[in-house]
Amino acid sequence: MSIPPGPQPRLDVRGAVDLSSLARPATPAPGTPGGLPAASSYVIDVDEASFPALVQSSTEYPVVVVLWASWSEVSQQAVADLAALAEQDGGRWQLARIDSEANPQVAAAFQAQSVPSVVAVLAGQPLPLYQGAPPADQVRGVIDQVLAAAETNGLTGRVTAGGPEQPAPEPEPELPPLHQAAYDAIERDDLDAAVEAYEQALRENPRDQLARAGLAQVQLLVRTRDADLQAVRTAAADRPRDVEAQLAVADLDVLGGKVEDAFARLVDLLAVTKSEPVRLRLVDLFEVVGTDDPRVVQARRAMASALY
């Protein structure tokens, strides 16, 4: 949808899922795709492998993501308009261009139903902005709101003309062999092998909480990798007491940051069905979001009430 004329609602960074929990190890960003202007310090191209670097950057300054496709002239216009604003603002924010067809898992993480879709990322949290290519003055207003929200949340860093200045990285601690095997499998897009590695780690040490969380995250990616977003939502709306349909849409909600919606949906279903698969899926999604997250703490209490 396009942005309606007039004042726009204020942005709130609360309530979105932390994208960094689903990120892969970073590799260099891809080259400039055909049909778009050349990249710069303020306009970068991102794929699934370089996605973690985008998430990390968003903890310093606002990042605006535009999901585009080569066949869509509208999305190319949207990219051009945003790129012009990014250059104009000189490093107050960074534009990340993502080819939605070449990077379907990233598009699914943002729950992009069409291109172009524009999403802000502040401190690792996605904030949907608009779809389509509205007039440049309206886009300017939305970007100003993003900058205001970033300042309110302490994200006042800048992208330098030569690229962000980064201190020399400290050596990362060596991972246990099975954890490393899981990360390596994710990097080569072998999610089944990652699941096997985490499961083996848990067999060897049932108290390995990092392996348990990693397994839950990878299993979520496995369950959603071939999902048709519209079909899943239609099935859930048509069959409100169908356990499988509700589990599928809850997975997509968590992946897209609608954590409270997913938990409320499954808790309500559990109260009616007392279904063990629903309870188990809630437990898995608690691991994905983080067991210390206040939303998980609240949902865990609601789950107990639904069961008893």
Side-chain angles (χ1 to χ4, degrees), residues 3 24 32 58 76 81 86 111 149 193 209 213 217-218 226 233 250 257 261 274 280-281 295:
I3 307 172
R24 299 181 179 187
T32 301
S58 75
Q76 294 189 32
D81 291 344
Q111 291 194 318
Q209 291 302 315
Q217 292 174 5
V218 175
D226 297 321
R233 294 206 175 282
D261 289 349
K274 310 299 182 185
L280 292 175
R281 182 62 54 82
R295 295 167 294 182

Side-chain angles (χ1 to χ4, degrees), residues 272-284:
V272 173
T273 65
K274 310 299 182 185
S275 167
E276 182 65 3
V278 175
R279 186 190 70 81
L280 292 175
R281 182 62 54 82
L282 273 167
V283 172
D284 284 344

Side-chain angles (χ1 to χ4, degrees), residues 88-297:
Q88 176 183 321
D89 287 348
R92 297 180 65 196
W93 58 283
Q94 190 171 59
L95 176 65
R97 307 183 298 201
I98 299 178
D99 184 338
S100 61
E101 292 187 312
N103 304 281
Q105 283 193 319
V106 176
F110 285 112
Q111 291 194 318
Q113 299 185 33
S114 64
V115 293
S117 289
V118 180
V119 181
V121 182
L122 303 182
Q125 296 183 332
L127 301 169
L129 299 179
Y130 61 86
Q131 296 177 353
D137 60 336
Q138 293 185 16
V139 177
R140 172 77 271 173
V142 172
I143 295 300
D144 288 344
Q145 289 186 44
V146 171
L147 293 173
E151 184 174 356
T152 298
N153 288 274
L155 303 177
T156 56
R158 296 182 72 94
V159 185
T160 61
E165 296 181 0
Q166 299 290 346
E170 297 181 3
E172 293 187 4
E174 186 174 345
L175 291 172
L178 287 170
H179 287 243
Q180 186 62 57
Y183 277 117
D184 292 344
I186 293 170
E187 188 172 27
R188 66 176 184 269
D189 202 26
D190 189 348
L191 298 181
D192 293 334
V195 168
E196 292 176 6
Y198 279 132
E199 287 179 339
Q200 181 60 35
L202 285 169
R203 282 193 290 270
E204 294 182 7
N205 179 11
R207 295 186 177 183
D208 188 340
Q209 291 302 315
L210 290 178
R212 191 174 305 280
L215 177 61
Q217 292 174 5
V218 175
Q219 286 177 329
L220 175 63
L221 293 177
V222 170
R223 293 194 301 268
T224 57
R225 61 183 165 186
D226 297 321
D228 181 322
L229 179 61
Q230 189 57 50
V232 169
R233 294 206 175 282
T234 298
D238 291 344
R239 303 194 298 274
R241 291 294 175 259
D242 184 305
V243 168
E244 291 302 320
Q246 301 308 313
L247 292 179
V249 78
D251 279 346
L252 290 176
D253 279 344
V254 168
L255 195 62
K258 299 179 180 179
V259 174
E260 293 95 335
D261 289 349
F263 289 168
R265 178 188 298 275
L266 295 187
V267 167
D268 289 346
L269 185 63
L270 185 64
V272 173
T273 65
K274 310 299 182 185
S275 167
E276 182 65 3
V278 175
R279 186 190 70 81
L280 292 175
R281 182 62 54 82
L282 273 167
V283 172
D284 284 344
L285 295 179
F286 293 163
E287 291 288 349
V288 171
V289 177
T291 54
D292 294 332
D293 189 291
R295 295 167 294 182
V296 171
V297 175

